[in-house]
Amino acid sequence: MKCHDMTQTMQETTRRGVGSKRWQRPVYRDFLPPCNHACPAGEDIQGWLSHAQAGEYQKAWQALVANNPMPSVHGRACYHPCENSCNRDDLDAPVAIHAVERFLGDLALQNGWSFQAAPPTGKKVLVVGAGPAGLSCAYHLARLGHQVEIRDAAAEPGGMMMHGIPAYRLPRAPLQAEIARITAMPGVSLRCGEAVDDVLKAQKDGGFDAVFVGVGAQLANHLNIPTSDGKRMIDAVDMLADVSKGGRPFLGRSVAVVGGGNVAMDAARTAERLGAQDTVLVFRYDAAHMEALPVEAAEAFAEGVKIKWLSVVDHFGTDGVTIEKVTLNPDGSVTPTGETTHLPADAVVMAVGQHSDLSLVKKVPGVTVNTHDTIDVDPAVLMTGQPGIFAGGDCIGGARTMTAATGHGKRAARAIDAYLAGRRYQHPDTHPLVTADMLHLPDYREAARQKQPVKDSEDRKDFSEITGGLTEKATRYEAGRCLSCGNCYECDNCYAACPEQAITRLGHGNGYSVSLDLCSGCAVCAEQCPCHAIEMMPEPTDAAAPVGSLGEPITPTQFKVRA
């Protein structure tokens, strides 16, 4: 019997990537960048950074405001969780996304770029509250063509952006300008100084097809702290609101601020600017359980604010406050120790949380107000148990931040639009998340993050803005530090690396195509793709074709061999 050489057959059926048979092929895919995933407002950060690095600033702004109508505000006062998730942090430092956003927002205001509204639909929506949630909802509804009326009990719009965030963090000029741009949109009207006491009555009397409740958490929580000698404690929320209106409450030389959250930090830093020479935070937990964001706490401490950890105020009298030490238990509770100390204080400012005034919905059938003064909503569409009544922002709980509220407003607007059309809003499916370990960065070098100019701590004596913006040159450089995680930006690495010349450029903005007649499935393109926009997928086979022990096709597609 004549023996046949079985080497080629064995190689092709037991070893991958050998011979003229392909067992895998490259596929260009889109992934979800971690910055986009982390943004509470749902911005396409990677998209507008791409335009910004190319110098296409108006396109970048338009891409940005497709999701967030106030970039100048958010570029200053947002806590930018997007940067905490930036994959660039594994290489050197996160992209300064908020600084680029601020540049675009300020440039838009300087150039008078405005918003456009869709043709009228004939539908009317009432928005209660002119804070970030209400303004965002009104903006997105107007872009969809609906008529919107915003009502707010305050004398001017802005909610906690106007009355809770100090001007040294958020100057009033850009805030007022971005609010004015929203309220100037066709179909949007604003009525300030007009409280809504009964949502259903307001809806019926105004002939509104739907209502969005976006009232903020502007009522301060209280602790039962004994006082004597006519001493009175001040609510941080009320104090910050007073200062925002031009008031200068007299707090004295020594001030104790009860709390450890972001509002407590703002209250303490405001007290310093009002003349206090000794400002101390009294916080019941330790540093590991600090409620304020690290950057906010660091700024306060840099300005001279001190803190008493694991302490509570026992009494406030003529000679100051009595502080009692506590121990922190594993379950998060604290136990008094009986050990007390004295702290001089002319004023005590309470910053122990806020809640919303929800009297306007408490009598509405189907609307559930929870024990913590939050409205129960369907998390997918933010509608209450009463059809046509939606809610978002601080009044539904969760992360009570300006950007989270802005995201609620956008989501509610899309849900309201669907409701008015007789359907339920379905959020589009998202792409898989791309993580740092999925990137291939052979050609990247470290590029230092651009720093915004910041006032020295000793110069922070008034309410003028602390942080400056980036120059145009620095902004373009910073936008260029984006790694474009998970999405092709046409770097040509795959095109240059392919040994079979199987990849063809399709022109700017159109990516690449792969000739499967030439592709051997070697995966060099995927290995050279820095942003993981290419994945190697198994070669499709006929369902009836035999497969090997590893699930691979025994007779994979054959590619052409060049002559």
Coordinates of all heavy atoms in Angstrom, one line a residue, residues 83-144:
E83 N -13.8 61.6 34.2 CA -12.4 61.5 34.3 C -11.9 60.4 35.2 O -10.8 59.9 35.0 CB -11.9 62.9 34.7 CG -12.1 64.0 33.7 CD -11.5 65.3 34.1 OE1 -10.6 65.4 35.0 OE2 -12.0 66.4 33.6
N84 N -12.7 60.1 36.2 CA -12.3 59.0 37.1 C -12.3 57.7 36.4 O -11.7 56.7 36.9 CB -13.3 59.0 38.3 CG -13.2 60.2 39.2 OD1 -12.2 60.9 39.2 ND2 -14.3 60.6 39.9
S85 N -13.1 57.6 35.3 CA -13.2 56.4 34.6 C -12.3 56.3 33.3 O -12.2 55.3 32.6 CB -14.6 56.1 34.1 OG -15.5 56.0 35.3
C86 N -11.6 57.4 33.0 CA -10.8 57.5 31.8 C -9.7 56.5 31.8 O -8.9 56.4 32.7 CB -10.2 59.0 31.7 SG -9.2 59.2 30.2
N87 N -9.6 55.7 30.7 CA -8.6 54.7 30.5 C -7.2 55.3 30.4 O -6.2 54.6 30.7 CB -8.8 53.9 29.3 CG -9.9 52.8 29.5 OD1 -10.2 52.4 30.6 ND2 -10.6 52.4 28.5
R88 N -7.1 56.6 30.1 CA -5.8 57.2 30.0 C -5.1 57.3 31.3 O -3.8 57.4 31.4 CB -5.9 58.6 29.4 CG -4.6 59.4 29.3 CD -4.2 59.7 27.9 NE -2.8 59.9 27.8 CZ -2.2 60.1 26.6 NH1 -2.8 59.9 25.5 NH2 -0.9 60.3 26.6
D89 N -5.8 57.2 32.4 CA -5.3 57.2 33.7 C -4.3 56.0 33.9 O -3.3 56.1 34.7 CB -6.4 57.1 34.8 CG -5.9 57.4 36.2 OD1 -4.9 58.2 36.3 OD2 -6.4 56.9 37.2
D90 N -4.5 54.9 33.2 CA -3.5 53.8 33.3 C -2.2 54.1 32.5 O -1.3 53.3 32.7 CB -4.2 52.5 32.7 CG -5.2 51.9 33.7 OD1 -5.8 52.7 34.4 OD2 -5.3 50.7 33.7
L91 N -2.2 55.1 31.7 CA -1.0 55.4 30.9 C -0.3 56.6 31.6 O 0.9 56.5 31.8 CB -1.4 55.8 29.5 CG -0.3 56.2 28.5 CD1 0.6 55.0 28.3 CD2 -0.9 56.6 27.2
D92 N -1.0 57.7 31.9 CA -0.3 58.8 32.6 C -1.3 59.5 33.5 O -1.3 59.4 34.7 CB 0.4 59.8 31.7 CG -0.4 60.0 30.4 OD1 -1.7 60.1 30.5 OD2 0.2 60.2 29.3
A93 N -2.3 60.2 32.9 CA -3.3 60.9 33.7 C -4.6 61.0 32.9 O -4.5 61.1 31.6 CB -2.8 62.3 34.1
P94 N -5.8 61.1 33.5 CA -7.0 61.2 32.7 C -7.0 62.5 31.8 O -6.4 63.5 32.2 CB -8.1 61.3 33.8 CG -7.5 60.8 35.0 CD -6.0 61.1 34.9
V95 N -7.7 62.4 30.8 CA -8.0 63.6 29.9 C -8.8 64.6 30.7 O -9.7 64.3 31.4 CB -8.7 63.2 28.6 CG1 -9.0 64.5 27.8 CG2 -7.9 62.2 27.8
A96 N -8.4 65.9 30.7 CA -9.1 66.9 31.4 C -10.4 67.3 30.6 O -10.5 68.4 30.0 CB -8.2 68.2 31.6
I97 N -11.3 66.4 30.7 CA -12.6 66.5 29.9 C -13.3 67.7 30.3 O -13.9 68.5 29.4 CB -13.4 65.2 30.1 CG1 -12.7 64.0 29.6 CG2 -14.8 65.4 29.4 CD1 -13.3 62.7 30.0
H98 N -13.4 68.0 31.6 CA -14.2 69.2 32.0 C -13.7 70.5 31.5 O -14.4 71.4 31.3 CB -14.3 69.2 33.6 CG -13.1 69.6 34.3 ND1 -11.9 68.8 34.3 CD2 -12.8 70.7 34.9 CE1 -11.0 69.5 35.0 NE2 -11.5 70.6 35.4
A99 N -12.3 70.5 31.4 CA -11.7 71.8 30.9 C -12.0 72.0 29.5 O -12.2 73.2 29.1 CB -10.2 71.7 31.2
V100 N -12.0 71.0 28.7 CA -12.4 71.1 27.2 C -13.8 71.5 27.1 O -14.2 72.3 26.3 CB -12.1 69.8 26.5 CG1 -12.4 70.0 25.0 CG2 -10.6 69.4 26.6
E101 N -14.7 70.9 28.0 CA -16.1 71.2 27.9 C -16.3 72.7 28.3 O -17.1 73.3 27.6 CB -16.8 70.3 28.9 CG -18.4 70.5 28.9 CD -19.1 69.5 29.7 OE1 -18.5 68.8 30.6 OE2 -20.3 69.3 29.5
R102 N -15.6 73.2 29.3 CA -15.8 74.6 29.6 C -15.3 75.5 28.5 O -16.0 76.5 28.2 CB -14.9 74.9 30.9 CG -14.8 76.3 31.2 CD -13.9 76.6 32.4 NE -13.6 78.0 32.5 CZ -13.2 78.5 33.7 NH1 -13.1 77.8 34.8 NH2 -12.9 79.8 33.7
F103 N -14.2 75.1 27.8 CA -13.8 76.0 26.7 C -14.8 76.0 25.6 O -15.1 77.1 25.1 CB -12.5 75.3 26.1 CG -12.0 76.0 24.9 CD1 -11.2 77.1 25.0 CD2 -12.4 75.6 23.6 CE1 -10.7 77.8 23.8 CE2 -11.9 76.2 22.5 CZ -11.1 77.3 22.6
L104 N -15.4 74.9 25.3 CA -16.5 74.9 24.2 C -17.7 75.7 24.7 O -18.3 76.4 23.9 CB -16.8 73.5 23.9 CG -15.8 72.6 23.3 CD1 -16.2 71.1 23.2 CD2 -15.4 73.1 21.9
G105 N -18.1 75.5 26.0 CA -19.2 76.3 26.5 C -19.0 77.8 26.4 O -19.9 78.5 26.0
D106 N -17.8 78.2 26.9 CA -17.5 79.6 26.9 C -17.4 80.2 25.5 O -17.9 81.3 25.2 CB -16.2 79.9 27.6 CG -16.4 79.7 29.1 OD1 -17.5 79.5 29.6 OD2 -15.3 79.7 29.8
L107 N -16.8 79.4 24.6 CA -16.7 79.8 23.2 C -18.1 80.0 22.5 O -18.3 81.0 21.8 CB -15.9 78.8 22.4 CG -15.5 79.2 21.0 CD1 -14.6 80.4 20.9 CD2 -14.8 78.0 20.2
A108 N -19.0 79.1 22.9 CA -20.4 79.2 22.3 C -21.1 80.5 22.8 O -21.8 81.2 22.0 CB -21.2 78.0 22.7
L109 N -20.9 80.8 24.1 CA -21.5 82.0 24.6 C -20.8 83.3 23.9 O -21.5 84.2 23.6 CB -21.3 82.1 26.1 CG -22.1 81.0 26.9 CD1 -21.7 81.2 28.4 CD2 -23.6 81.2 26.7
Q110 N -19.5 83.2 23.7 CA -18.8 84.4 23.1 C -19.3 84.6 21.7 O -19.5 85.8 21.2 CB -17.3 84.2 23.1 CG -16.7 84.2 24.5 CD -15.3 83.6 24.5 OE1 -14.7 83.5 23.5 NE2 -14.8 83.3 25.7
N111 N -19.6 83.5 21.0 CA -20.0 83.6 19.6 C -21.5 83.6 19.3 O -21.9 83.7 18.2 CB -19.3 82.4 18.8 CG -17.8 82.5 18.7 OD1 -17.3 83.6 18.7 ND2 -17.2 81.4 18.6
G112 N -22.2 83.5 20.4 CA -23.7 83.6 20.3 C -24.3 82.4 19.6 O -25.4 82.5 19.0
W113 N -23.7 81.2 19.7 CA -24.3 80.0 19.1 C -25.6 79.7 19.8 O -25.7 79.8 21.1 CB -23.3 78.8 19.2 CG -22.1 79.1 18.4 CD1 -21.8 80.0 17.4 CD2 -20.8 78.4 18.6 NE1 -20.5 79.9 17.0 CE2 -19.9 78.9 17.7 CE3 -20.4 77.4 19.5 CZ2 -18.6 78.4 17.6 CZ3 -19.1 76.9 19.4 CH2 -18.2 77.4 18.5
S114 N -26.6 79.4 19.1 CA -28.0 79.2 19.7 C -28.5 77.8 19.4 O -28.0 77.1 18.5 CB -28.9 80.3 19.2 OG -29.0 80.2 17.7
F115 N -29.6 77.5 20.0 CA -30.3 76.2 19.9 C -31.4 76.4 18.9 O -32.0 77.4 18.7 CB -30.9 75.7 21.2 CG -29.9 75.5 22.3 CD1 -30.1 75.9 23.6 CD2 -28.7 74.9 22.0 CE1 -29.2 75.7 24.6 CE2 -27.7 74.6 23.0 CZ -28.0 75.1 24.3
Q116 N -31.7 75.2 18.2 CA -32.8 75.2 17.3 C -33.9 74.2 17.8 O -33.6 73.3 18.5 CB -32.4 74.7 15.9 CG -31.3 75.5 15.3 CD -31.7 76.9 15.0 OE1 -32.8 77.2 14.5 NE2 -30.9 77.9 15.3
A117 N -35.2 74.5 17.6 CA -36.3 73.7 18.0 C -36.9 73.0 16.8 O -36.8 73.6 15.7 CB -37.3 74.5 18.8
A118 N -37.5 71.9 17.0 CA -38.2 71.2 15.9 C -39.5 71.8 15.6 O -40.0 72.6 16.4 CB -38.4 69.7 16.3
P119 N -40.1 71.5 14.5 CA -41.5 72.1 14.2 C -42.4 71.7 15.3 O -42.4 70.6 15.9 CB -41.8 71.4 12.8 CG -40.5 71.1 12.2 CD -39.6 70.8 13.4
P120 N -43.4 72.6 15.6 CA -44.3 72.3 16.7 C -45.2 71.1 16.5 O -45.6 70.8 15.4 CB -45.2 73.6 16.7 CG -44.5 74.6 16.0 CD -43.6 73.9 15.0
T121 N -45.3 70.3 17.6 CA -46.1 69.1 17.5 C -47.6 69.3 18.0 O -48.4 68.5 17.8 CB -45.5 68.0 18.5 OG1 -45.5 68.5 19.8 CG2 -44.1 67.7 18.1
G122 N -47.8 70.5 18.6 CA -49.1 70.8 19.1 C -49.3 70.3 20.6 O -50.4 70.5 21.1
K123 N -48.3 69.7 21.1 CA -48.4 69.1 22.5 C -47.8 70.1 23.5 O -46.8 70.8 23.2 CB -47.7 67.8 22.6 CG -48.2 66.7 21.7 CD -49.6 66.3 22.1 CE -50.1 65.1 21.3 NZ -51.4 64.7 21.6
K124 N -48.4 70.2 24.7 CA -47.9 71.1 25.7 C -47.5 70.4 27.0 O -48.2 69.4 27.4 CB -49.0 72.1 26.1 CG -49.4 73.1 25.1 CD -50.6 74.0 25.5 CE -50.2 74.7 26.8 NZ -51.4 75.6 27.3
V125 N -46.3 70.7 27.5 CA -45.8 70.1 28.7 C -45.5 71.1 29.8 O -44.9 72.2 29.5 CB -44.6 69.3 28.4 CG1 -44.0 68.6 29.7 CG2 -44.8 68.2 27.3
L126 N -45.9 70.9 31.0 CA -45.6 71.7 32.1 C -44.3 71.2 32.8 O -44.3 70.0 33.2 CB -46.7 71.8 33.1 CG -46.5 72.5 34.5 CD1 -46.1 74.0 34.2 CD2 -47.7 72.4 35.4
V127 N -43.3 72.0 33.1 CA -42.1 71.6 33.8 C -42.1 72.4 35.1 O -42.1 73.7 35.1 CB -40.9 71.9 33.0 CG1 -39.6 71.7 33.9 CG2 -40.8 71.0 31.8
V128 N -42.2 71.7 36.2 CA -42.2 72.4 37.5 C -40.7 72.3 38.1 O -40.2 71.3 38.4 CB -43.1 71.7 38.5 CG1 -43.2 72.5 39.8 CG2 -44.5 71.6 37.9
G129 N -40.1 73.5 38.2 CA -38.8 73.6 38.7 C -37.8 74.0 37.6 O -37.8 73.4 36.5
A130 N -37.1 75.1 37.8 CA -36.2 75.6 36.8 C -34.7 75.4 37.2 O -33.8 76.2 37.0 CB -36.4 77.1 36.6
G131 N -34.5 74.2 37.9 CA -33.1 73.8 38.2 C -32.6 73.0 37.0 O -33.1 73.0 35.9
P132 N -31.5 72.3 37.3 CA -30.9 71.5 36.1 C -31.8 70.5 35.5 O -31.7 70.3 34.3 CB -29.6 70.9 36.8 CG -29.9 70.9 38.3 CD -30.7 72.1 38.5
A133 N -32.6 69.8 36.3 CA -33.5 68.8 35.8 C -34.5 69.4 34.9 O -34.8 69.0 33.8 CB -34.1 67.9 36.9
G134 N -35.2 70.4 35.4 CA -36.3 71.1 34.7 C -35.8 71.8 33.4 O -36.4 71.7 32.4
L135 N -34.7 72.5 33.5 CA -34.1 73.1 32.4 C -33.7 72.1 31.3 O -34.0 72.4 30.1 CB -32.9 74.0 32.7 CG -33.3 75.3 33.6 CD1 -32.0 75.9 34.2 CD2 -34.0 76.3 32.8
S136 N -33.1 71.0 31.7 CA -32.7 70.0 30.7 C -33.9 69.4 30.1 O -33.9 69.2 28.8 CB -31.9 68.9 31.4 OG -31.6 67.9 30.6
C137 N -34.9 69.1 30.9 CA -36.1 68.5 30.3 C -36.8 69.5 29.3 O -37.2 69.0 28.2 CB -37.1 68.1 31.4 SG -38.6 67.3 30.9
A138 N -36.9 70.7 29.7 CA -37.5 71.7 28.8 C -36.8 71.8 27.5 O -37.3 71.9 26.4 CB -37.6 73.1 29.5
Y139 N -35.4 71.9 27.6 CA -34.6 72.0 26.4 C -34.8 70.8 25.4 O -35.0 71.0 24.2 CB -33.1 72.0 26.8 CG -32.1 71.7 25.8 CD1 -31.8 72.7 24.8 CD2 -31.4 70.5 25.8 CE1 -30.8 72.4 23.8 CE2 -30.5 70.2 24.8 CZ -30.2 71.2 23.8 OH -29.3 70.9 22.9
H140 N -34.8 69.6 26.0 CA -34.9 68.4 25.1 C -36.3 68.3 24.5 O -36.5 67.8 23.4 CB -34.5 67.2 25.9 CG -33.0 67.0 26.1 ND1 -32.2 66.7 25.1 CD2 -32.3 67.2 27.2 CE1 -30.9 66.7 25.5 NE2 -31.0 67.0 26.8
L141 N -37.3 68.7 25.3 CA -38.7 68.7 24.8 C -38.8 69.7 23.7 O -39.5 69.4 22.6 CB -39.7 69.0 25.9 CG -39.9 67.9 26.9 CD1 -40.7 68.5 28.1 CD2 -40.7 66.7 26.3
A142 N -38.2 70.9 23.8 CA -38.3 71.9 22.7 C -37.6 71.4 21.5 O -38.1 71.6 20.4 CB -37.7 73.2 23.2
R143 N -36.5 70.7 21.6 CA -35.8 70.1 20.5 C -36.6 69.1 19.8 O -36.4 68.8 18.6 CB -34.4 69.5 20.9 CG -33.4 70.6 21.2 CD -32.1 69.9 21.7 NE -31.5 69.0 20.8 CZ -30.4 69.3 20.1 NH1 -29.8 70.5 20.2 NH2 -29.8 68.4 19.3
L144 N -37.6 68.5 20.5 CA -38.5 67.5 19.9 C -39.8 68.2 19.4 O -40.6 67.5 18.8 CB -38.8 66.5 20.9 CG -37.7 65.6 21.3 CD1 -38.0 64.8 22.6 CD2 -37.3 64.6 20.2

